[in-house]
PDB file of all heavy atoms in Angstrom:
ATOM      1  N   MET E1244     -34.395  19.674 116.339  1.00 70.00           N
ATOM      2  CA  MET E1244     -34.123  19.638 114.877  1.00 70.00           C
ATOM      3  C   MET E1244     -34.054  21.050 114.421  1.00 70.00           C
ATOM      4  O   MET E1244     -34.755  21.922 115.011  1.00 70.00           O
ATOM      5  CB  MET E1244     -35.206  18.785 114.132  1.00 70.00           C
ATOM      6  CG  MET E1244     -35.261  17.407 114.482  1.00 70.00           C
ATOM      7  SD  MET E1244     -36.495  16.470 113.462  1.00 70.00           S
ATOM      8  CE  MET E1244     -35.742  16.577 111.885  1.00 70.00           C
ATOM      9  N   PRO E1245     -33.313  21.350 113.342  1.00 68.00           N
ATOM     10  CA  PRO E1245     -33.139  22.720 112.860  1.00 68.00           C
ATOM     11  C   PRO E1245     -34.552  23.278 112.416  1.00 68.00           C
ATOM     12  O   PRO E1245     -35.376  22.578 111.753  1.00 68.00           O
ATOM     13  CB  PRO E1245     -32.213  22.609 111.701  1.00 68.00           C
ATOM     14  CG  PRO E1245     -31.503  21.348 111.910  1.00 68.00           C
ATOM     15  CD  PRO E1245     -32.426  20.401 112.668  1.00 68.00           C
ATOM     16  N   GLU E1246     -34.743  24.531 112.673  1.00 66.00           N
ATOM     17  CA  GLU E1246     -35.907  25.324 112.217  1.00 66.00           C
ATOM     18  C   GLU E1246     -37.260  24.747 112.724  1.00 66.00           C
ATOM     19  O   GLU E1246     -38.282  25.058 112.144  1.00 66.00           O
ATOM     20  CB  GLU E1246     -35.998  25.398 110.665  1.00 66.00           C
ATOM     21  CG  GLU E1246     -34.886  26.330 110.119  1.00 66.00           C
ATOM     22  CD  GLU E1246     -33.575  25.633 110.061  1.00 66.00           C
ATOM     23  OE1 GLU E1246     -33.512  24.341 109.849  1.00 66.00           O
ATOM     24  OE2 GLU E1246     -32.497  26.355 110.138  1.00 66.00           O
ATOM     25  N   LEU E1247     -37.271  23.896 113.755  1.00 68.00           N
ATOM     26  CA  LEU E1247     -38.545  23.404 114.197  1.00 68.00           C
ATOM     27  C   LEU E1247     -39.370  24.495 114.930  1.00 68.00           C
ATOM     28  O   LEU E1247     -40.569  24.499 114.831  1.00 68.00           O
ATOM     29  CB  LEU E1247     -38.349  22.228 115.158  1.00 68.00           C
ATOM     30  CG  LEU E1247     -38.056  20.823 114.496  1.00 68.00           C
ATOM     31  CD1 LEU E1247     -37.925  19.802 115.555  1.00 68.00           C
ATOM     32  CD2 LEU E1247     -39.137  20.457 113.487  1.00 68.00           C
ATOM     33  N   GLN E1248     -38.663  25.492 115.509  1.00 71.00           N
ATOM     34  CA  GLN E1248     -39.357  26.517 116.207  1.00 71.00           C
ATOM     35  C   GLN E1248     -39.447  27.760 115.352  1.00 71.00           C
ATOM     36  O   GLN E1248     -39.832  28.815 115.892  1.00 71.00           O
ATOM     37  CB  GLN E1248     -38.576  26.810 117.447  1.00 71.00           C
ATOM     38  CG  GLN E1248     -38.398  25.570 118.371  1.00 71.00           C
ATOM     39  CD  GLN E1248     -39.737  24.998 118.835  1.00 71.00           C
ATOM     40  OE1 GLN E1248     -40.697  25.770 119.061  1.00 71.00           O
ATOM     41  NE2 GLN E1248     -39.778  23.692 118.870  1.00 71.00           N
ATOM     42  N   TRP E1249     -38.935  27.694 114.157  1.00 75.00           N
ATOM     43  CA  TRP E1249     -38.933  28.883 113.297  1.00 75.00           C
ATOM     44  C   TRP E1249     -40.379  29.129 112.826  1.00 75.00           C
ATOM     45  O   TRP E1249     -41.047  28.270 112.360  1.00 75.00           O
ATOM     46  CB  TRP E1249     -38.062  28.705 112.144  1.00 75.00           C
ATOM     47  CG  TRP E1249     -37.743  29.931 111.282  1.00 75.00           C
ATOM     48  CD1 TRP E1249     -37.966  31.299 111.727  1.00 75.00           C
ATOM     49  CD2 TRP E1249     -37.310  30.009 109.973  1.00 75.00           C
ATOM     50  NE1 TRP E1249     -37.551  32.113 110.689  1.00 75.00           N
ATOM     51  CE2 TRP E1249     -37.214  31.384 109.628  1.00 75.00           C
ATOM     52  CE3 TRP E1249     -36.893  29.083 109.049  1.00 75.00           C
ATOM     53  CZ2 TRP E1249     -36.698  31.777 108.426  1.00 75.00           C
ATOM     54  CZ3 TRP E1249     -36.364  29.478 107.781  1.00 75.00           C
ATOM     55  CH2 TRP E1249     -36.348  30.795 107.449  1.00 75.00           C
ATOM     56  N   LYS E1250     -40.814  30.497 112.834  1.00 74.00           N
ATOM     57  CA  LYS E1250     -42.183  30.819 112.562  1.00 74.00           C
ATOM     58  C   LYS E1250     -42.515  30.534 111.044  1.00 74.00           C
ATOM     59  O   LYS E1250     -43.630  30.065 110.743  1.00 74.00           O
ATOM     60  CB  LYS E1250     -42.367  32.335 112.830  1.00 74.00           C
ATOM     61  CG  LYS E1250     -43.757  32.812 112.499  1.00 74.00           C
ATOM     62  CD  LYS E1250     -43.929  34.319 112.846  1.00 74.00           C
ATOM     63  CE  LYS E1250     -45.327  34.813 112.563  1.00 74.00           C
ATOM     64  NZ  LYS E1250     -45.475  36.246 112.881  1.00 74.00           N
ATOM     65  N   TYR E1251     -41.559  30.740 110.197  1.00 76.00           N
ATOM     66  CA  TYR E1251     -41.820  30.561 108.730  1.00 76.00           C
ATOM     67  C   TYR E1251     -41.194  29.291 108.173  1.00 76.00           C
ATOM     68  O   TYR E1251     -41.088  29.122 106.966  1.00 76.00           O
ATOM     69  CB  TYR E1251     -41.350  31.766 107.907  1.00 76.00           C
ATOM     70  CG  TYR E1251     -41.976  33.062 108.358  1.00 76.00           C
ATOM     71  CD1 TYR E1251     -41.312  33.999 109.155  1.00 76.00           C
ATOM     72  CD2 TYR E1251     -43.310  33.388 107.990  1.00 76.00           C
ATOM     73  CE1 TYR E1251     -41.931  35.191 109.611  1.00 76.00           C
ATOM     74  CE2 TYR E1251     -43.912  34.631 108.303  1.00 76.00           C
ATOM     75  CZ  TYR E1251     -43.228  35.433 109.151  1.00 76.00           C
ATOM     76  OH  TYR E1251     -43.768  36.665 109.524  1.00 76.00           O
ATOM     77  N   GLY E1252     -40.771  28.461 109.046  1.00 76.00           N
ATOM     78  CA  GLY E1252     -40.103  27.213 108.624  1.00 76.00           C
ATOM     79  C   GLY E1252     -40.988  26.366 107.711  1.00 76.00           C
ATOM     80  O   GLY E1252     -40.486  25.813 106.672  1.00 76.00           O
ATOM     81  N   TYR E1253     -42.217  26.252 108.015  1.00 78.00           N
ATOM     82  CA  TYR E1253     -43.104  25.385 107.215  1.00 78.00           C
ATOM     83  C   TYR E1253     -43.259  25.898 105.795  1.00 78.00           C
ATOM     84  O   TYR E1253     -43.173  25.102 104.778  1.00 78.00           O
ATOM     85  CB  TYR E1253     -44.511  25.293 107.886  1.00 78.00           C
ATOM     86  CG  TYR E1253     -45.482  24.556 107.160  1.00 78.00           C
ATOM     87  CD1 TYR E1253     -45.450  23.131 106.995  1.00 78.00           C
ATOM     88  CD2 TYR E1253     -46.544  25.242 106.435  1.00 78.00           C
ATOM     89  CE1 TYR E1253     -46.478  22.484 106.271  1.00 78.00           C
ATOM     90  CE2 TYR E1253     -47.504  24.555 105.731  1.00 78.00           C
ATOM     91  CZ  TYR E1253     -47.444  23.181 105.615  1.00 78.00           C
ATOM     92  OH  TYR E1253     -48.410  22.441 104.852  1.00 78.00           O
ATOM     93  N   LEU E1254     -43.391  27.216 105.613  1.00 82.00           N
ATOM     94  CA  LEU E1254     -43.552  27.787 104.325  1.00 82.00           C
ATOM     95  C   LEU E1254     -42.227  27.676 103.481  1.00 82.00           C
ATOM     96  O   LEU E1254     -42.260  27.462 102.369  1.00 82.00           O
ATOM     97  CB  LEU E1254     -43.950  29.215 104.358  1.00 82.00           C
ATOM     98  CG  LEU E1254     -45.388  29.485 105.040  1.00 82.00           C
ATOM     99  CD1 LEU E1254     -45.614  30.953 105.215  1.00 82.00           C
ATOM    100  CD2 LEU E1254     -46.441  28.765 104.256  1.00 82.00           C
ATOM    101  N   VAL E1255     -41.162  27.867 104.224  1.00 81.00           N
ATOM    102  CA  VAL E1255     -39.862  27.755 103.593  1.00 81.00           C
ATOM    103  C   VAL E1255     -39.604  26.374 103.052  1.00 81.00           C
ATOM    104  O   VAL E1255     -39.132  26.116 101.894  1.00 81.00           O
ATOM    105  CB  VAL E1255     -38.690  28.162 104.509  1.00 81.00           C
ATOM    106  CG1 VAL E1255     -37.381  27.886 103.884  1.00 81.00           C
ATOM    107  CG2 VAL E1255     -38.842  29.657 104.842  1.00 81.00           C
ATOM    108  N   ILE E1256     -39.904  25.358 103.843  1.00 82.00           N
ATOM    109  CA  ILE E1256     -39.752  23.994 103.404  1.00 82.00           C
ATOM    110  C   ILE E1256     -40.604  23.636 102.209  1.00 82.00           C
ATOM    111  O   ILE E1256     -40.238  23.019 101.240  1.00 82.00           O
ATOM    112  CB  ILE E1256     -39.983  23.002 104.580  1.00 82.00           C
ATOM    113  CG1 ILE E1256     -38.876  23.203 105.692  1.00 82.00           C
ATOM    114  CG2 ILE E1256     -40.050  21.555 104.060  1.00 82.00           C
ATOM    115  CD1 ILE E1256     -37.499  22.837 105.137  1.00 82.00           C
ATOM    116  N   LEU E1257     -41.872  24.147 102.253  1.00 84.00           N
ATOM    117  CA  LEU E1257     -42.718  23.850 101.098  1.00 84.00           C
ATOM    118  C   LEU E1257     -42.242  24.542  99.855  1.00 84.00           C
ATOM    119  O   LEU E1257     -42.294  24.000  98.739  1.00 84.00           O
ATOM    120  CB  LEU E1257     -44.130  24.350 101.455  1.00 84.00           C
ATOM    121  CG  LEU E1257     -45.003  23.520 102.475  1.00 84.00           C
ATOM    122  CD1 LEU E1257     -46.386  24.167 102.626  1.00 84.00           C
ATOM    123  CD2 LEU E1257     -45.094  22.096 101.984  1.00 84.00           C
ATOM    124  N   GLY E1258     -41.749  25.800 100.030  1.00 87.00           N
ATOM    125  CA  GLY E1258     -41.234  26.481  98.880  1.00 87.00           C
ATOM    126  C   GLY E1258     -39.978  25.775  98.306  1.00 87.00           C
ATOM    127  O   GLY E1258     -39.743  25.731  97.085  1.00 87.00           O
ATOM    128  N   LEU E1259     -39.141  25.221  99.255  1.00 85.00           N
ATOM    129  CA  LEU E1259     -37.920  24.542  98.813  1.00 85.00           C
ATOM    130  C   LEU E1259     -38.375  23.257  97.999  1.00 85.00           C
ATOM    131  O   LEU E1259     -37.737  22.952  96.991  1.00 85.00           O
ATOM    132  CB  LEU E1259     -37.073  24.147 100.063  1.00 85.00           C
ATOM    133  CG  LEU E1259     -35.781  23.291  99.787  1.00 85.00           C
ATOM    134  CD1 LEU E1259     -34.823  24.181  98.875  1.00 85.00           C
ATOM    135  CD2 LEU E1259     -35.115  22.942 101.032  1.00 85.00           C
ATOM    136  N   MET E1260     -39.302  22.573  98.484  1.00 86.00           N
ATOM    137  CA  MET E1260     -39.762  21.377  97.820  1.00 86.00           C
ATOM    138  C   MET E1260     -40.252  21.715  96.438  1.00 86.00           C
ATOM    139  O   MET E1260     -39.991  21.097  95.503  1.00 86.00           O
ATOM    140  CB  MET E1260     -40.910  20.682  98.636  1.00 86.00           C
ATOM    141  CG  MET E1260     -40.508  20.040  99.969  1.00 86.00           C
ATOM    142  SD  MET E1260     -42.003  19.276 100.644  1.00 86.00           S
ATOM    143  CE  MET E1260     -41.239  18.650 102.154  1.00 86.00           C
ATOM    144  N   GLY E1261     -41.085  22.751  96.319  1.00 89.00           N
ATOM    145  CA  GLY E1261     -41.674  23.199  95.034  1.00 89.00           C
ATOM    146  C   GLY E1261     -40.563  23.560  94.130  1.00 89.00           C
ATOM    147  O   GLY E1261     -40.651  23.343  92.911  1.00 89.00           O
ATOM    148  N   THR E1262     -39.582  24.330  94.666  1.00 89.00           N
ATOM    149  CA  THR E1262     -38.486  24.836  93.727  1.00 89.00           C
ATOM    150  C   THR E1262     -37.662  23.629  93.162  1.00 89.00           C
ATOM    151  O   THR E1262     -37.326  23.580  91.952  1.00 89.00           O
ATOM    152  CB  THR E1262     -37.526  25.785  94.485  1.00 89.00           C
ATOM    153  OG1 THR E1262     -38.348  26.847  94.979  1.00 89.00           O
ATOM    154  CG2 THR E1262     -36.392  26.320  93.671  1.00 89.00           C
ATOM    155  N   ILE E1263     -37.235  22.711  94.017  1.00 88.00           N
ATOM    156  CA  ILE E1263     -36.475  21.578  93.530  1.00 88.00           C
ATOM    157  C   ILE E1263     -37.337  20.712  92.596  1.00 88.00           C
ATOM    158  O   ILE E1263     -36.820  20.350  91.501  1.00 88.00           O
ATOM    159  CB  ILE E1263     -36.027  20.765  94.801  1.00 88.00           C
ATOM    160  CG1 ILE E1263     -35.036  21.563  95.610  1.00 88.00           C
ATOM    161  CG2 ILE E1263     -35.338  19.496  94.337  1.00 88.00           C
ATOM    162  CD1 ILE E1263     -34.630  20.810  96.946  1.00 88.00           C
ATOM    163  N   CYS E1264     -38.585  20.438  92.909  1.00 88.00           N
ATOM    164  CA  CYS E1264     -39.393  19.600  92.025  1.00 88.00           C
ATOM    165  C   CYS E1264     -39.601  20.320  90.705  1.00 88.00           C
ATOM    166  O   CYS E1264     -39.564  19.679  89.623  1.00 88.00           O
ATOM    167  CB  CYS E1264     -40.813  19.319  92.712  1.00 88.00           C
ATOM    168  SG  CYS E1264     -40.659  18.262  94.124  1.00 88.00           S
ATOM    169  N   GLY E1265     -39.841  21.666  90.741  1.00 89.00           N
ATOM    170  CA  GLY E1265     -40.035  22.391  89.527  1.00 89.00           C
ATOM    171  C   GLY E1265     -38.839  22.412  88.582  1.00 89.00           C
ATOM    172  O   GLY E1265     -38.893  22.261  87.399  1.00 89.00           O
ATOM    173  N   THR E1266     -37.585  22.558  89.300  1.00 88.00           N
ATOM    174  CA  THR E1266     -36.367  22.467  88.556  1.00 88.00           C
ATOM    175  C   THR E1266     -36.168  21.179  87.845  1.00 88.00           C
ATOM    176  O   THR E1266     -35.735  21.054  86.689  1.00 88.00           O
ATOM    177  CB  THR E1266     -35.177  22.848  89.440  1.00 88.00           C
ATOM    178  OG1 THR E1266     -35.381  24.094  90.102  1.00 88.00           O
ATOM    179  CG2 THR E1266     -33.835  22.839  88.658  1.00 88.00           C
ATOM    180  N   LEU E1267     -36.440  20.114  88.650  1.00 86.00           N
ATOM    181  CA  LEU E1267     -36.224  18.765  88.104  1.00 86.00           C
ATOM    182  C   LEU E1267     -37.260  18.519  86.902  1.00 86.00           C
ATOM    183  O   LEU E1267     -36.935  17.905  85.907  1.00 86.00           O
ATOM    184  CB  LEU E1267     -36.499  17.701  89.136  1.00 86.00           C
ATOM    185  CG  LEU E1267     -35.399  17.539  90.199  1.00 86.00           C
ATOM    186  CD1 LEU E1267     -35.795  16.557  91.293  1.00 86.00           C
ATOM    187  CD2 LEU E1267     -34.107  17.132  89.637  1.00 86.00           C
ATOM    188  N   PHE E1268     -38.467  18.970  87.119  1.00 87.00           N
ATOM    189  CA  PHE E1268     -39.435  18.876  86.037  1.00 87.00           C
ATOM    190  C   PHE E1268     -38.997  19.597  84.743  1.00 87.00           C
ATOM    191  O   PHE E1268     -39.093  19.063  83.658  1.00 87.00           O
ATOM    192  CB  PHE E1268     -40.806  19.403  86.439  1.00 87.00           C
ATOM    193  CG  PHE E1268     -41.859  19.321  85.477  1.00 87.00           C
ATOM    194  CD1 PHE E1268     -42.603  18.097  85.269  1.00 87.00           C
ATOM    195  CD2 PHE E1268     -42.249  20.289  84.600  1.00 87.00           C
ATOM    196  CE1 PHE E1268     -43.619  17.944  84.327  1.00 87.00           C
ATOM    197  CE2 PHE E1268     -43.222  20.213  83.641  1.00 87.00           C
ATOM    198  CZ  PHE E1268     -43.929  18.949  83.532  1.00 87.00           C
ATOM    199  N   TYR E1269     -38.448  20.735  84.924  1.00 85.00           N
ATOM    200  CA  TYR E1269     -37.990  21.515  83.720  1.00 85.00           C
ATOM    201  C   TYR E1269     -36.829  20.852  83.040  1.00 85.00           C
ATOM    202  O   TYR E1269     -36.733  20.763  81.826  1.00 85.00           O
ATOM    203  CB  TYR E1269     -37.531  22.940  84.225  1.00 85.00           C
ATOM    204  CG  TYR E1269     -36.888  23.785  83.138  1.00 85.00           C
ATOM    205  CD1 TYR E1269     -37.703  24.352  82.128  1.00 85.00           C
ATOM    206  CD2 TYR E1269     -35.509  24.024  83.149  1.00 85.00           C
ATOM    207  CE1 TYR E1269     -37.084  25.131  81.153  1.00 85.00           C
ATOM    208  CE2 TYR E1269     -34.900  24.716  82.200  1.00 85.00           C
ATOM    209  CZ  TYR E1269     -35.715  25.327  81.136  1.00 85.00           C
ATOM    210  OH  TYR E1269     -35.053  26.070  80.111  1.00 85.00           O
ATOM    211  N   LYS E1270     -35.893  20.270  83.851  1.00 86.00           N
ATOM    212  CA  LYS E1270     -34.754  19.541  83.237  1.00 86.00           C
ATOM    213  C   LYS E1270     -35.194  18.354  82.492  1.00 86.00           C
ATOM    214  O   LYS E1270     -34.666  17.995  81.423  1.00 86.00           O
ATOM    215  CB  LYS E1270     -33.762  19.240  84.399  1.00 86.00           C
ATOM    216  CG  LYS E1270     -33.027  20.418  85.027  1.00 86.00           C
ATOM    217  CD  LYS E1270     -32.163  21.204  83.959  1.00 86.00           C
ATOM    218  CE  LYS E1270     -31.445  22.328  84.641  1.00 86.00           C
ATOM    219  NZ  LYS E1270     -30.624  23.083  83.641  1.00 86.00           N
ATOM    220  N   PHE E1271     -36.144  17.613  83.112  1.00 84.00           N
ATOM    221  CA  PHE E1271     -36.583  16.378  82.468  1.00 84.00           C
ATOM    222  C   PHE E1271     -37.362  16.755  81.196  1.00 84.00           C
ATOM    223  O   PHE E1271     -37.305  15.961  80.171  1.00 84.00           O
ATOM    224  CB  PHE E1271     -37.450  15.517  83.395  1.00 84.00           C
ATOM    225  CG  PHE E1271     -36.708  14.812  84.434  1.00 84.00           C
ATOM    226  CD1 PHE E1271     -37.018  14.885  85.860  1.00 84.00           C
ATOM    227  CD2 PHE E1271     -35.677  14.023  84.094  1.00 84.00           C
ATOM    228  CE1 PHE E1271     -36.331  14.137  86.783  1.00 84.00           C
ATOM    229  CE2 PHE E1271     -34.903  13.230  85.023  1.00 84.00           C
ATOM    230  CZ  PHE E1271     -35.260  13.366  86.378  1.00 84.00           C
ATOM    231  N   ARG E1272     -38.115  17.840  81.147  1.00 86.00           N
ATOM    232  CA  ARG E1272     -38.728  18.239  79.955  1.00 86.00           C
ATOM    233  C   ARG E1272     -37.784  18.592  78.842  1.00 86.00           C
ATOM    234  O   ARG E1272     -37.978  18.305  77.660  1.00 86.00           O
ATOM    235  CB  ARG E1272     -39.747  19.406  80.190  1.00 86.00           C
ATOM    236  CG  ARG E1272     -40.991  18.992  80.921  1.00 86.00           C
ATOM    237  CD  ARG E1272     -41.857  18.020  80.127  1.00 86.00           C
ATOM    238  NE  ARG E1272     -42.373  18.642  78.898  1.00 86.00           N
ATOM    239  CZ  ARG E1272     -43.533  19.293  78.795  1.00 86.00           C
ATOM    240  NH1 ARG E1272     -44.269  19.387  79.883  1.00 86.00           N
ATOM    241  NH2 ARG E1272     -43.926  19.845  77.678  1.00 86.00           N
ATOM    242  N   GLN E1273     -36.677  19.277  79.266  1.00 86.00           N
ATOM    243  CA  GLN E1273     -35.620  19.601  78.267  1.00 86.00           C
ATOM    244  C   GLN E1273     -35.051  18.373  77.661  1.00 86.00           C
ATOM    245  O   GLN E1273     -34.707  18.278  76.469  1.00 86.00           O
ATOM    246  CB  GLN E1273     -34.580  20.480  78.929  1.00 86.00           C
ATOM    247  CG  GLN E1273     -34.894  21.924  79.018  1.00 86.00           C
ATOM    248  CD  GLN E1273     -33.729  22.760  79.440  1.00 86.00           C
ATOM    249  OE1 GLN E1273     -32.897  22.318  80.265  1.00 86.00           O
ATOM    250  NE2 GLN E1273     -33.633  23.933  78.921  1.00 86.00           N
ATOM    251  N   ALA E1274     -34.813  17.318  78.607  1.00 83.00           N
ATOM    252  CA  ALA E1274     -34.263  16.048  78.104  1.00 83.00           C
ATOM    253  C   ALA E1274     -35.291  15.161  77.433  1.00 83.00           C
ATOM    254  O   ALA E1274     -34.906  14.008  76.912  1.00 83.00           O
ATOM    255  CB  ALA E1274     -33.589  15.299  79.235  1.00 83.00           C
ATOM    256  N   LYS E1275     -36.526  15.664  77.286  1.00 81.00           N
ATOM    257  CA  LYS E1275     -37.591  14.885  76.625  1.00 81.00           C
ATOM    258  C   LYS E1275     -37.870  13.527  77.399  1.00 81.00           C
ATOM    259  O   LYS E1275     -38.260  12.564  76.712  1.00 81.00           O
ATOM    260  CB  LYS E1275     -37.319  14.646  75.181  1.00 81.00           C
ATOM    261  CG  LYS E1275     -37.178  15.970  74.382  1.00 81.00           C
ATOM    262  CD  LYS E1275     -36.857  15.661  72.939  1.00 81.00           C
ATOM    263  CE  LYS E1275     -36.940  16.935  72.089  1.00 81.00           C
ATOM    264  NZ  LYS E1275     -36.663  16.712  70.644  1.00 81.00           N
TER     265      LYS E1275
END
Side-chain angles (χ1 to χ4, degrees):
M1244 295 184 68
E1246 288 81 29
L1247 283 179
Q1248 305 300 323
W1249 190 20
K1250 181 178 179 179
Y1251 301 102
Y1253 175 73
L1254 297 177
V1255 170
I1256 293 300
L1257 288 181
L1259 179 63
M1260 289 181 182
T1262 301
I1263 297 175
C1264 291
T1266 302
L1267 290 175
F1268 181 82
Y1269 175 74
K1270 293 295 185 181
F1271 283 129
R1272 285 298 295 268
Q1273 278 190 324
K1275 296 182 178 180

